[in-house]
Amino acid sequence: MPSEEEQAEREAKLAKLEKEKKELLASLAGGDFSTLKTKVAYILNLYPQARNSDITLSIKYWETFQPDIYNESGILPKDLFKLERLHYIVRARAKIQNEYGLFTSDSPVKKFRKKREEEMQDEVLKDASPRKVITVFADETGKNQNYVIVASVWVLTGRAVYTISKSILDWQSSSLWANREIHFTKFGKRDSDTLAEYLNIIQANREFLSFKAIAVERSRTKRKIEDVVEKLHEHMLLNGLEHEVEHHRISPPQTINVTLDEEQSLDAITLAEVKRRVNSHFEDRFSGEMLLGTLESVSSRKSPMVQLADLIAGAINRRLNHDGDKNYKDEMADRVIHALDLQLGADEVDGIDVTTLFKI
């Protein structure tokens, strides 16, 4: 029987691990790749083969995060010192799998990892294919205005989440926005040129991105605002996925992971209900080949992709809800809408009891 002191120590350790696990999942959901642990988790999540092989894991890590150094045709001896050390990668993998219980390896590999890896040499050296994952970053706005809006950024491949996040952060680090979070509502008159630079970065990665928004007039519904926002998120996912499939940008099977700004108005119970209903629809429509995997809320502070969703939501909000004199904010909204080719046509969405604006 453990003493009270030992029991307290054990509980403290478990609480610490749970906190670290939640922080890791939040970083992963938000596209925050500032730590080695998050980068390793990203590879384990995207490449299931890497869960069973530290060699595969390391190769995919170097290929993804250090492509300027890693070269499958040959690496210069001096560059070996620049690659992330394999034992650091393995140590992070062991913590993620063994202590957090995330992205675990197959049972036979757990028992005989080294022996199995040697037996799997040919498989290990093959190019590991990533899981088919779409990541959606969404934000809401206009809850106290005429139109309530949910806007979203769809990243159409799992690999592109890191590619685009890195492109934004690399540019931002030497820009006038180096030390600020990007929020449309906080733009001033002097931000116009920097906004243009930012939009150039997004346009350069446009092939990996799709933008969607859905809005409803508050005056035409008697629902509580929380219910309105809930339904908008749900139908944004349902109609957004249908649109991607119809336009042949994606095809089953796919996993859709969704990240929301933690300042949104949906609590954990509501998120679970939305996830259940969306997956029920996916089961009926796509015979289980489409799956809503995660539905997380994270701080926008460290997520460049959530900040991009905020920018789009802010621009559309300005266009739909502002009826005063036009100024620089309207010009910025127009610039965002034009640069990202946001189509603001009105459509009726089945399943919602009022006419809505579904924007693709």
Side-chain angles (χ1 to χ4, degrees):
M1 205 44 197
S3 65
E4 290 185 7
E5 185 177 339
E6 290 172 332
Q7 182 64 21
E9 186 177 336
R10 181 173 178 275
E11 290 177 357
K13 182 179 179 180
L14 290 174
K16 181 174 181 290
L17 285 175
E18 185 63 25
K19 180 174 181 290
E20 291 175 357
K21 177 180 175 180
K22 288 181 178 178
E23 289 174 347
L24 176 63
L25 290 174
S27 295
L28 199 58
D32 173 15
F33 299 97
S34 57
T35 67
L36 169 67
K37 196 189 300 180
T38 304
K39 292 176 182 177
V40 171
Y42 176 71
I43 298 299
L44 292 172
N45 183 33
L46 192 57
Y47 297 95
Q49 299 97 318
R51 303 173 190 181
N52 295 334
S53 164
D54 287 332
I55 301 300
T56 300
L57 170 62
S58 299
I59 289 172
K60 282 300 171 187
Y61 182 100
W62 295 327
E63 181 185 275
T64 302
F65 299 113
Q66 297 182 288
D68 54 326
I69 301 172
Y70 176 80
N71 184 336
E72 63 180 14
S73 299
I75 303 174
L76 294 174
K78 65 182 180 65
D79 286 337
L80 291 173
F81 294 95
K82 301 175 184 177
L83 286 174
E84 189 67 66
R85 298 292 191 270
L86 188 146
H87 63 274
Y88 290 152
I89 296 173
V90 172
R91 187 183 302 169
R93 186 272 305 160
K95 191 172 189 69
I96 292 166
Q97 290 185 329
N98 301 337
E99 297 187 36
Y100 301 160
L102 298 171
F103 316 121
T104 56
S105 57
D106 298 335
S107 294
V109 179
K110 290 179 184 178
K111 294 180 180 179
F112 309 104
R113 191 171 192 98
K114 185 175 181 180
K115 182 175 183 295
R116 286 281 295 140
E117 188 152 66
E118 290 171 353
E119 292 173 355
M120 294 164 55
Q121 180 174 338
D122 290 341
E123 291 295 320
V124 166
L125 294 177
K126 286 181 181 178
D127 186 30
S129 58
R131 291 194 308 136
K132 294 179 72 175
V133 179
I134 301 166
T135 309
V136 179
F137 298 89
D139 197 16
E140 64 193 49
T141 187
K143 288 180 288 186
N144 297 314
Q145 297 171 282
N146 186 29
Y147 281 97
V148 187
I149 303 157
V150 168
S152 59
V153 178
W154 293 57
V155 186
L156 302 180
T157 69
R159 179 78 175 260
V161 175
Y162 170 70
T163 302
I164 299 168
S165 296
K166 184 176 185 299
S167 295
I168 294 171
L169 294 175
D170 286 350
W171 163 80
Q172 190 173 3
S173 65
S174 58
S175 76
L176 294 177
W177 291 352
N179 298 311
R180 63 183 280 190
E181 187 176 341
I182 299 171
H183 279 296
F184 185 87
T185 57
K186 296 180 180 178
F187 286 165
K189 292 181 179 180
R190 298 180 180 179
D191 287 318
S192 182
D193 290 342
T194 312
L195 173 62
E197 293 176 17
Y198 173 81
L199 290 172
N200 286 338
I201 300 298
I202 306 305
Q203 286 175 301
N205 292 280
R206 191 66 175 84
E207 64 181 299
F208 305 112
L209 297 172
S210 182
F211 306 109
K212 309 188 186 304
I214 187 167
V216 65
E217 288 184 90
R218 291 187 64 195
S219 61
R220 303 189 65 180
T221 177
K222 295 182 179 179
R223 294 176 183 270
K224 294 188 296 184
I225 190 63
E226 293 81 9
D227 294 338
V228 171
V229 172
E230 176 185 346
K231 286 299 181 183
L232 288 178
H233 276 287
E234 183 176 336
H235 284 274
M236 179 271 295
L237 289 171
L238 297 178
N239 288 275
L241 185 62
E242 291 281 359
H243 185 265
E244 291 302 306
V245 172
E246 287 172 6
H247 287 76
H248 308 292
R249 281 191 290 267
I250 63 171
S251 59
Q254 293 276 356
T255 298
I256 297 90
N257 293 330
V258 181
T259 301
L260 312 177
D261 189 337
E262 69 179 4
E263 294 184 0
Q264 49 80 43
S265 56
L266 306 185
D267 60 24
I269 295 174
T270 304
L271 291 177
E273 281 297 304
V274 170
K275 182 177 179 180
R276 181 186 63 78
R277 290 194 299 268
V278 169
N279 271 329
S280 177
H281 175 88
F282 286 172
E283 177 68 33
D284 294 339
R285 173 68 177 82
F286 298 105
S287 302
E289 290 199 304
M290 295 293 193
L291 175 70
L292 177 52
T294 61
L295 184 53
E296 303 272 353
S297 57
V298 303
S299 170
S300 61
R301 185 171 57 88
K302 289 188 175 182
S303 176
M305 302 309 297
V306 172
Q307 291 175 42
L308 177 56
D310 171 275
L311 178 80
I312 294 169
I316 295 174
N317 179 49
R318 186 74 182 188
R319 174 70 71 85
L320 291 182
N321 285 320
H322 181 68
D323 56 5
D325 294 336
K326 291 187 178 296
N327 59 27
Y328 67 92
K329 275 289 184 67
D330 298 281
E331 293 175 4
M332 287 181 167
D334 290 344
R335 173 169 281 180
V336 172
I337 290 167
H338 176 74
L340 302 183
D341 193 26
L342 303 178
Q343 304 299 317
L344 304 187
D347 294 295
E348 184 173 319
V349 178
D350 293 336
I352 298 183
D353 55 6
V354 294
T355 302
T356 66
L357 294 171
F358 182 56
K359 306 174 180 62
I360 301 296

